[in-house]
């Protein structure tokens, strides 16, 4: 099975490049399953039900997220639509699993693609992030109930050490651990000794002519003056950052992980 994981889709520029580039990417890389982090789809801040549905219509199977998941309040209603319906499209949008358990939404999805079972787990780090439960123990707890062999984990976190540690911790237990949130791709993709594909950060799918997606003059001004400012999405130098993971669907072991950046 070949999995495409697309890094944080940022605003309209990010959505548009996914729309344009996804069909050739699927064809050229023989992709079977598509997962994307959508936490910045709505002008950089959160995701709306309509945008989630649009991304699903492009062929994305599962959307993960992170700290921006609640930025658009209507996403709470979307999560509630999935209550009691395990195959609702709303069920295929995840929020980090290690948030307070009574919050709306889920951090694990198990589905089938071309008759191959797969699972996606979304976790958030704890270093330099808002407080949440332990992602390591949460992963253990979730994996006890997962039936699929092919398992992808999105670790949405700031600190490289925390992400690399989770990669080692889950080596041999999941197919891939991919990092998101920093919006900056790292060049450390590899398959760990027990068969888990790993990268610290997949990078952003959006405008690089800015500061992690936001207009650069606004962010530079914030650092200079520390006065309140309304962030707006940048627009230039739009790139799509992703990884392609090839795995054996019978064992769930990864064979390779390849970094993709197209502009
Ligand atoms: Fe993000
Ligand atoms: Fe984030």
């Amino acid at each position: 099975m070949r999995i495409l994981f697309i890094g944080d889709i940022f605003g309209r520029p990010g959505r548009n490049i996914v729309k344009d580039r996804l069909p050739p990417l699927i064809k050229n890389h023989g992709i079977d399953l598509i997962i994307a982090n959508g936490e910045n789809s709505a002008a950089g801040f959160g995701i709306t039900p309509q945008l989630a549905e649009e991304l699903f219509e492009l062929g994305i199977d599962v959307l993960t997220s992170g700290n921006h998941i609640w930025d658009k309040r209507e996403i709470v209603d979307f999560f509630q639509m999935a209550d009691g319906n395990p195959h609702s499209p709303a069920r295929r949008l995840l929020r980090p699993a290690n948030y307070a358990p009574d919050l709306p939404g889920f951090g694990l999805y198990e589905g089938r693609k071309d008759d191959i079972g797969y699972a996606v787990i979304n976790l958030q780090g704890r270093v330099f992030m808002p407080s949440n439960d332990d992602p390591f123990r949460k992963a253990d707890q979730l994996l006890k109930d997962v039936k699929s062999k092919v398992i992808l984990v999105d670790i949405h976190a700031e600190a490289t050490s925390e992400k690399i540690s989770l990669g080692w911790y889950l080596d041999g237990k999941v197919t891939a651990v991919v990092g998101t949130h920093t919006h900056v791709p790292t060049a450390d993709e590899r398959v760990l000794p027990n068969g888990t594909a790993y990268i610290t950060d997949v990078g952003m799918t959006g405008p690089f002519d800015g500061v992690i997606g936001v207009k650069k003059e606004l962010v530079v001004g914030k650092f200079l003056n520390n006065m309140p400012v309304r962030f707006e999405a940048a627009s230039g130098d739009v790139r799509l950052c992703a990884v392609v993971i090839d795995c054996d669907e019978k064992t769930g072991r990864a064979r390779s992980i390849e970094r993709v950046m197209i502009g």
Side-chain angles (χ1 to χ4, degrees):
M1 184 179 227
R2 291 175 65 78
I3 307 164
L4 178 73
F5 183 95
I6 302 170
D8 302 36
I9 299 171
F10 198 102
R12 187 184 299 276
R15 296 185 333 255
N16 284 345
I17 196 170
V18 171
K19 198 174 177 183
D20 293 344
R21 299 305 196 94
L22 192 55
L25 262 176
I26 294 171
K27 194 161 169 268
N28 298 342
H29 290 271
I31 299 300
D32 304 300
L33 177 68
I34 306 165
I35 302 156
N37 188 302
E39 72 153 5
N40 308 109
S41 301
F45 298 90
I47 183 166
T48 62
Q50 193 194 334
L51 293 179
E53 305 249 9
E54 276 176 28
L55 292 168
F56 288 139
E57 274 166 31
L58 297 180
I60 293 170
D61 296 290
V62 180
L63 285 165
T64 57
S65 67
N67 54 303
H68 285 292
I69 186 62
W70 310 123
D71 289 1
K72 296 283 176 281
R73 294 295 300 170
E74 52 269 46
I75 212 63
V76 171
D77 304 328
F78 190 59
F79 279 138
Q80 281 159 352
M81 271 169 56
D83 280 351
N85 178 2
H87 300 292
S88 154
R91 194 57 194 77
R92 292 189 284 125
L93 170 67
L94 299 179
R95 50 95 169 152
N98 52 331
Y99 283 7
D102 53 335
L103 290 181
F106 294 90
L108 161 69
Y109 176 75
E110 271 201 281
R112 295 189 81 76
K113 190 75 190 278
D114 305 327
D115 219 31
I116 300 167
Y118 68 89
V120 181
I121 293 173
N122 196 180
L123 295 166
Q124 185 167 304
R126 293 194 292 185
V127 180
F128 311 131
M129 301 287 288
S131 81
N132 44 245
D133 293 341
D134 176 356
F136 292 77
R137 288 180 176 84
K138 188 69 196 182
D140 284 337
Q141 190 196 326
L142 292 172
L143 286 170
K144 276 185 200 145
D145 297 324
V146 169
K147 290 170 193 74
S148 315
K149 293 285 185 196
V150 176
I151 306 166
L152 182 133
V153 175
D154 173 354
I155 174 65
H156 195 78
E158 189 76 42
T160 51
S161 59
E162 190 179 22
K163 292 156 113 173
I164 296 170
S165 297
L166 189 74
W168 285 116
Y169 186 72
L170 295 178
D171 182 24
K173 297 178 191 159
V174 302
T175 307
V177 174
V178 297
T180 57
H181 176 68
T182 72
H183 295 194
V184 178
T186 56
D188 62 339
E189 72 280 10
R190 58 178 158 163
V191 178
L192 298 172
N194 295 315
T196 296
Y198 176 80
I199 187 166
T200 298
D201 209 294
V202 177
M204 173 183 68
T205 293
F208 276 67
D209 182 29
V211 178
I212 62 172
V214 174
K215 281 185 180 166
K216 52 186 177 293
E217 55 277 17
L218 300 178
V219 184
V220 172
K222 176 81 186 168
F223 278 109
L224 282 170
N225 308 318
N226 209 16
M227 286 172 64
V229 58
R230 202 185 136 85
F231 284 158
E232 291 167 39
S235 54
D237 190 11
V238 182
R239 305 185 204 177
L240 186 156
C241 287
V243 287
V244 175
I245 296 149
D246 185 71
C247 72
D248 178 345
E249 62 265 21
K250 292 191 187 70
T251 61
R253 278 180 80 104
R255 295 190 192 99
S256 65
I257 174 168
E258 183 191 341
R259 198 154 31 96
V260 174
M261 184 195 267
I262 46 177

